[in-house]
Amino acid sequence: MLGTPSAETGESVVSGASVEAGHEGPYPASETHAHPEEVQRRGERIASLWFVIAFLGGVGFLVSYYLFPPSAQDVPAIADPRIGQYSNMLLGGTLAVALFGIGAGMTVWARRVMPHYEVSSPYDDLPSSEKEKGSFGDFFMKSADESGFTRRPLMRRTLIAAMLPLGLAPIVLLRDTGPLPGDKLRDTPWAEGVRMVVEGTDRFIRAEDLESEPNGMITALPYVVHEGGHGEGGHGGGEGESARYAEGYHLSLNDKAKSVILLIKIPEGDYKSGMTETVEGQDEPRINWTHNGIVAYSKICTHVGCPAALYERTTHRILCPCHQSTFDAANAAEVVFGPAHRPLPQLPIGVDDEGYLSRRATSPSRPGRRSGTTRRTSR
Amino acid sequence: MSKTTQAPKALRGVGNFIDDRFHLAKTGEKNLRKVFPNHWSFMLGEIALYSFIILLLTGVFLTLWFKPSMAEIVYDGSYERLQGVEMSEAYASTLFIDFDVRGGFLVRQIHHWAALIFVASLVVHMLRVFFTGAFRKPREINWLIGVGIFTIAILEGLFGYSLPDDLPSGMGVRILQGVIMSLPLVGSYVSMFLFGGEFPGDLIIPRLYMLHILLLPALLLALIAAHFMILWHQKHTQYPGTGKTNKTVVGTPMFPGFAVKAGGFFFFTFAVTAGLAAFVQVNPIHLFGPFTPTSITSGLQPDWYMGFLEGALRIFPNTFDFQIFGYAVPTAVLVPGLGLMGLLFGGLAAWPFLEAWITGDRRPHNVADRPRNAPVRTGLGVAGVTAYGILWLAGSNDILSETFSIELYVTTYIFRAAIFVGPVIAFIVTKRICLGLQRRDRATLEHGYESGVIQQLPSGEFIEVHKESSQDTVDALLSKPEVTSTALGEETDEKGVESPGKRKAMGRIRRSLAHWYTKDYVSFDGVEPHSGHHLHHAAEGEKESAAH
């Protein structure tokens, strides 16, 4: 019987589970629809053929691996995208053949060689009997009483109280995953007088440069030189920044992500009424923030932060390709379509004494706490 | 048949070694005899399982080289076109996998394809369970676990998509951050904590990496294990047919039939995934370039399972945005970005309990419903699929606009209308189709099936000969349950007193829902199998011709 010492091991996998006399299969004959011997024999041949194909596929895979080296001087290597593609197709193709062959062989085996089973077995009755339930409940509560948990409230309550602070600990421990927002989201590297450069270069921009742009638009970034780890704008750009960008002009991704602007040249006559209004907290109209018909807006969409990169010169519309928020560049970047909530913030610009476009000084009549439409500069 | 083959000595040795320690012979035999009902739709969940196994295997391989680091470097690797370009170590190491590791490109593509197939098979599997009512008692908890697996799978996919730090992947993270920022009060805090500061910072990829390869897979593994233990314990549902009842399950035993079939199917799944990875390019990050927050390409689509959220973000107008104390509450981000997820997963999780509340059905169900026999449920399901599909399409409205030369904004207006109209039409049409199919079932039951044989009677009349359906078909048709609800019982008890529960508001809501859920169905009352005149036509015809 089950669990008997292994000394009595018979012929089956586990001792004792001998095959019933007079019954060959493991399941009742009525539930086992065996295929005729001929069908089985053909099935065996087809399955074996698939397994042979799979074997060849597997060998092909191993061969393909060594066909192209990873990087080499004169021989074709996978670093060349074209060769890499061949390598990928060979490796993947042979692997697929190997896997498919095994799958197909096993399926033929199950469908042709094995009987078709229609075995039945009962679904278990899931709820326990009332007696079992009663017995369990009785046992559980008696045990709880005996343990004192139910009868000794002082101990029970102090234990629960002891657990509470520990439950909070993992949450508290997460506090240092990041800083508090504070004023970080208000500051950008656009301090007064900061020059702008064409994005991806360190080339300063003159007003005339906009004329030669076919689309009348330039993506620009602030030119900030970092010195000794504290750049001109000490704006949460991430510590360790100085080490990474020790030499020359370099803007961190954090700074790029919030200071990238679109410079757009719009014929003066095309500006609409929105430009005569003032930004909240400021005392001059937006049109004064433009220079020579050039207006600067943040390129970061006010919806969820994609770069609003598409500009149509004829309609002066700025379109964010992610969710299609559309802003009217001639009208204070008002939202004209799509899900964005706010206009794109406008940056006051002018030229410095060398004639380069830069962030212009503004004279706020009162400190705008949260203007929503302008970017405060770093102190 | 020949004599039973002797188990090899080694196997016997191992068997006894294990049994001496675990007493497993009885349990082992019981489980190897476990019965799996046969139907193609039961293989959908298997695809999900096998894709998950493929994901684990290929994912481990990828970690051998991937560096989850946002440190900026200048690339000087093997891929010539990007040499000298600034990028993160994450992106550079992904390029290394693609162009310096033999089979690396293939494994990365298998991983990506398997992820797409994993979520797709989860969705189709859940639809199967929904439409056949397999979520009903006693399987509600397994349905909830399934909803959990689905939720985590989507996040897992999103985070994996974000790791290579190519342009679209970084933009996905940017959108995620934008959605987080829309949370009233806590948004900027959650964002700061998640990113370790401002976007993008230099921590988000290491953190997503930890979530992607450790925490979420561990949760998935645990939930999948629980899912399987429960289904193993409760056994599968089965479709109606001869001998298939709530008390008896009919199918293929685990050993040997199901083991070989399922094993073969695993290899099929893997073969298809490998074939796709070999010949269909997916997510070619080397063509996209590294992430920078200042650039973007148009025609950017996320992986398919994020498409419905992307579509919702695109078509939701800013009309309902408002401001409090100068702080914007951007409902155009909150509702589609987070509310929709809540609605989808919350709705899925609540449905089994809602349906049981409406119908008052507390019986265990092991025989699956044929979808037509639950017209309202099926209609709701199709309405849900339609809404999902419309949002998913809206996520590609720029592509649609370009392909079909429709103005971009017009596509948005069309989708804004379709999201309301589409599901309603889908519900009505589906319900009608269900009822039509029920009627056809009744006709088949009564008159047998149309054999396609045309016979001319001696009277000159042409008839199509109907033949008797198989016993299995008759049993399947007769299994049609009556759609009822306990809420629709007598209004008053025997003394003429209205039950207090039914008078309350919830009771009234339940009553009207129950009425809506049950009012339309085709009764099979009094229908005797094969009693219809069509069958007797033929018989009469024969009789008539015999008489002549």
Side-chain angles (χ1 to χ4, degrees):
Chain A
M1 272 313 295
L2 293 162
T4 44
S6 51
E8 284 177 28
T9 302
E11 47 257 19
S12 53
V13 176
V14 175
S15 50
S18 63
V19 176
E20 280 178 54
H23 185 240
E24 287 167 353
Y27 300 99
S30 60
E31 297 183 334
T32 314
H33 312 286
H35 295 291
E37 176 58 20
E38 196 177 323
V39 174
Q40 289 190 38
R41 214 178 311 136
R42 259 190 55 206
E44 181 189 7
R45 270 189 242 122
I46 299 173
S48 308
L49 181 65
W50 276 117
F51 291 145
V52 170
I53 292 172
F55 174 80
L56 295 177
V59 171
F61 181 80
L62 297 177
V63 172
S64 311
Y65 186 85
Y66 288 102
L67 216 54
F68 302 108
S71 62
Q73 286 301 316
D74 301 317
V75 274
I78 59 166
D80 175 350
R82 204 169 45 90
I83 303 293
Q85 201 185 359
Y86 294 149
S87 162
N88 188 59
M89 285 181 179
L90 266 178
L91 283 170
T94 48
L95 182 64
V97 168
L99 294 165
F100 190 89
I102 296 177
M106 287 178 82
T107 306
V108 173
W109 170 19
R111 293 185 70 93
R112 293 285 182 81
V113 182
M114 250 183 230
H116 178 72
Y117 295 101
E118 271 178 7
V119 180
S120 62
S121 103
Y123 282 112
D124 299 328
D125 260 341
L126 289 175
S128 309
S129 69
E130 285 307 315
K131 196 174 157 225
E132 286 167 330
K133 282 186 197 170
S135 164
F136 175 84
D138 197 37
F139 156 77
F140 189 85
M141 288 321 292
K142 271 187 180 153
S143 302
D145 284 348
E146 196 169 73
S147 79
F149 189 79
T150 45
R151 293 187 176 160
R152 306 200 178 273
L154 178 65
M155 188 182 76
R156 185 175 71 235
R157 286 170 195 158
T158 49
L159 174 62
I160 293 170
M163 301 277 193
L164 285 179
L166 285 178
L168 287 173
I171 301 167
V172 171
L173 276 172
L174 289 176
R175 167 61 191 88
D176 279 347
T177 51
L180 296 177
D183 266 351
K184 291 185 184 63
L185 296 171
R186 304 245 173 95
D187 296 336
T188 74
W190 287 113
E192 287 178 8
V194 166
R195 278 186 193 165
M196 41 199 77
V197 290
V198 177
E199 192 240 332
T201 72
D202 50 4
R203 188 158 57 83
F204 295 136
I205 306 167
R206 288 179 184 280
E208 307 86 78
D209 294 346
L210 267 295
E211 313 282 348
S212 53
E213 283 295 318
N215 204 17
M217 180 197 86
I218 289 177
T219 297
L221 286 168
Y223 181 78
V224 185
V225 180
H226 294 262
E227 296 157 16
H230 292 287
E232 205 172 317
H235 40 74
E239 289 71 37
E241 200 176 342
S242 55
R244 269 192 279 152
Y245 311 125
E247 47 190 65
Y249 160 72
H250 204 123
L251 211 54
S252 71
L253 288 185
N254 285 18
D255 283 342
K256 282 184 184 173
K258 58 183 187 177
S259 64
V260 64
I261 54 166
L262 291 171
L263 288 171
I264 297 171
K265 169 86 177 173
I266 296 174
E268 301 271 1
D270 287 4
Y271 279 115
K272 295 180 193 154
S273 59
M275 300 303 286
T276 59
E277 286 163 22
T278 57
V279 169
E280 190 192 325
Q282 304 287 330
D283 51 12
E284 42 181 1
R286 285 167 168 274
I287 195 76
N288 288 13
W289 285 10
T290 64
H291 174 79
N292 204 13
I294 301 168
V295 65
Y297 294 114
S298 165
K299 193 182 182 180
I300 301 304
C301 181
T302 54
H303 180 221
V304 285
C306 293
L310 305 178
Y311 175 63
E312 197 181 34
R313 189 174 203 168
T314 47
T315 55
H316 308 310
R317 281 183 168 188
I318 302 167
L319 176 78
C320 176
C322 280
H323 307 101
Q324 294 135 19
S325 292
T326 311
F327 308 89
D328 187 351
N331 196 26
E334 280 299 319
V335 181
V336 288
F337 190 83
H341 176 76
R342 291 192 172 101
L344 296 171
Q346 187 184 349
L347 184 78
I349 58 168
V351 287
D352 59 17
D353 19 335
E354 288 178 57
Y356 292 116
L357 286 176
S358 56
R359 154 76 152 97
R360 207 197 79 168
T362 48
S363 47
S365 55
R366 58 203 148 97
R369 191 180 142 270
R370 192 184 175 86
S371 58
T373 48
T374 187
R375 325 194 115 216
R376 270 180 55 193
T377 58
S378 48
R379 287 137 302 188
Chain B
M1 274 281 200
S2 55
K3 196 172 169 287
T4 310
T5 315
Q6 272 221 354
K9 194 157 180 286
L11 190 57
R12 258 182 288 152
V14 172
N16 281 309
F17 181 87
I18 292 174
D19 191 68
D20 284 352
R21 283 150 185 83
F22 298 116
H23 188 76
L24 274 180
K26 192 176 164 196
T27 324
E29 186 184 330
K30 182 170 173 246
N31 284 305
L32 289 179
R33 282 180 180 275
K34 187 182 145 58
V35 169
F36 290 80
N38 288 314
H39 194 269
W40 64 266
S41 67
F42 298 150
M43 292 157 90
L44 296 165
E46 284 182 53
I47 300 180
L49 175 69
Y50 302 148
S51 311
F52 184 69
I53 293 170
I54 297 169
L55 284 166
L56 289 182
L57 294 174
T58 50
V60 168
F61 182 82
L62 294 173
T63 59
L64 297 176
W65 294 278
F66 180 72
K67 291 182 194 153
S69 154
M70 296 175 82
E72 290 274 316
I73 57 159
V74 176
Y75 182 69
D76 66 341
S78 305
Y79 182 55
E80 279 176 20
R81 282 176 51 191
L82 286 175
Q83 274 171 10
V85 175
E86 273 180 39
M87 59 182 65
S88 65
E89 279 199 305
Y91 185 68
S93 62
T94 312
L95 289 176
F96 186 85
I97 292 172
D98 280 356
F99 293 108
D100 293 271
V101 177
R102 277 172 286 181
F105 202 101
L106 179 74
V107 173
R108 209 173 63 73
Q109 295 230 85
I110 293 179
H111 195 69
H112 202 119
W113 271 118
L116 298 180
I117 294 171
F118 178 52
V119 187
S121 53
L122 283 182
V123 169
V124 185
H125 170 62
M126 288 181 89
L127 288 176
R128 192 278 293 176
V129 171
F130 180 85
F131 283 124
T132 60
F135 55 78
R136 290 173 298 174
K137 189 180 173 184
R139 295 180 178 79
E140 306 97 319
I141 293 174
N142 230 13
W143 169 259
L144 290 182
I145 291 175
V147 172
I149 292 173
F150 179 44
T151 315
I152 296 175
I154 287 184
L155 287 175
E156 177 73 348
L158 173 69
F159 294 166
Y161 179 83
S162 305
L163 289 181
D165 205 23
D166 54 283
L167 189 57
S169 107
M171 212 44 73
V173 179
R174 179 44 139 168
I175 294 171
L176 174 72
Q177 192 250 355
V179 171
I180 288 173
M181 289 284 265
S182 76
L183 282 168
L185 301 178
V186 296
S188 52
Y189 290 82
V190 176
S191 171
M192 286 281 168
F193 290 150
L194 181 63
F195 285 78
E198 288 180 76
F199 175 86
D202 46 18
L203 284 171
I204 188 64
I205 285 186
R207 286 179 180 177
L208 291 183
Y209 184 66
M210 177 280 289
L211 292 172
H212 182 74
I213 74 157
L214 178 69
L215 186 62
L216 296 185
L219 285 175
L220 275 177
L221 201 59
L223 287 177
I224 290 174
H227 202 71
F228 271 77
M229 284 160 69
I230 290 174
L231 89 80
W232 200 277
H233 183 62
Q234 297 181 331
K235 298 182 180 163
H236 282 74
T237 53
Q238 58 188 347
Y239 288 107
T242 306
K244 296 166 182 173
T245 66
N246 269 325
K247 299 263 175 221
T248 312
V249 54
V250 178
T252 307
M254 176 72 199
F255 188 76
F258 187 77
V260 175
K261 281 206 295 188
F265 196 54
F266 167 75
F267 284 99
F268 275 142
T269 310
F270 205 162
V272 168
T273 316
L276 282 168
F279 301 110
V280 189
Q281 191 170 56
V282 63
N283 200 28
I285 58 116
H286 60 288
L287 301 179
F288 298 145
F291 171 68
T292 153
T294 57
S295 310
I296 192 162
T297 56
S298 53
L300 210 56
Q301 257 65 47
D303 274 349
W304 79 265
Y305 45 83
M306 297 303 292
F308 78 109
L309 290 174
E310 173 77 7
L313 278 171
R314 287 181 184 199
I315 66 170
F316 203 92
N318 62 4
T319 322
F320 309 102
D321 291 359
F322 57 94
Q323 298 209 2
I324 296 178
F325 308 122
Y327 290 91
V329 181
T331 53
V333 184
L334 267 177
V335 176
L338 295 164
L340 197 67
M341 285 269 252
L343 193 69
L344 176 68
F345 298 126
L348 285 174
W351 177 255
F353 305 98
L354 195 62
E355 189 188 295
W357 179 67
I358 293 173
T359 61
D361 187 351
R362 300 279 187 271
R363 296 165 300 175
H365 294 277
N366 289 322
V367 177
D369 268 339
R370 302 170 78 216
R372 67 190 63 177
N373 289 338
V376 173
R377 182 205 296 145
T378 304
L380 280 177
V382 176
V385 171
T386 309
Y388 184 96
I390 288 170
L391 290 176
W392 185 77
L393 278 176
S396 311
N397 71 334
D398 46 351
I399 309 277
L400 293 173
S401 159
E402 201 183 320
T403 312
F404 298 103
S405 304
I406 308 169
E407 215 213 315
L408 184 64
Y409 299 151
V410 174
T411 63
T412 307
Y413 290 123
I414 291 173
F415 282 119
R416 280 176 185 172
I419 192 62
F420 292 105
V421 180
V424 175
I425 295 176
F427 177 80
I428 294 168
V429 169
T430 307
K431 201 174 144 191
R432 287 291 125 198
I433 292 175
C434 285
L435 293 170
L437 287 170
Q438 286 189 22
R439 258 176 232 118
R440 195 176 76 178
D441 282 354
R442 188 172 62 186
T444 308
L445 193 59
E446 237 173 329
H447 307 302
Y449 69 94
E450 297 170 353
S451 65
V453 177
I454 307 289
Q455 225 177 38
Q456 189 178 20
L457 300 183
S459 58
E461 181 193 359
F462 285 97
I463 59 158
E464 181 177 9
V465 176
H466 282 60
K467 289 192 174 160
E468 291 196 6
S469 315
S470 69
Q471 189 57 40
D472 198 48
T473 306
V474 170
D475 286 337
L477 295 176
L478 279 176
S479 76
K480 178 175 183 291
E482 199 180 338
V483 181
T484 56
S485 167
T486 55
L488 297 174
E490 289 297 309
E491 300 245 2
T492 53
D493 64 15
E494 63 272 18
K495 286 179 189 146
V497 181
E498 243 185 319
S499 102
K502 280 179 181 161
R503 271 206 317 251
K504 285 186 189 135
M506 285 305 272
R508 280 205 301 275
I509 293 171
R510 183 174 166 227
R511 236 183 119 74
S512 49
L513 280 174
H515 178 68
W516 168 71
Y517 193 81
T518 58
K519 65 180 174 191
D520 291 319
Y521 79 105
V522 177
S523 173
F524 280 19
D525 276 355
V527 174
E528 287 290 318
H530 303 145
S531 61
H533 61 278
H534 281 302
L535 281 163
H536 300 287
H537 250 316
E540 281 160 23
E542 272 155 34
K543 237 184 282 169
E544 244 179 279
S545 51
H548 282 283

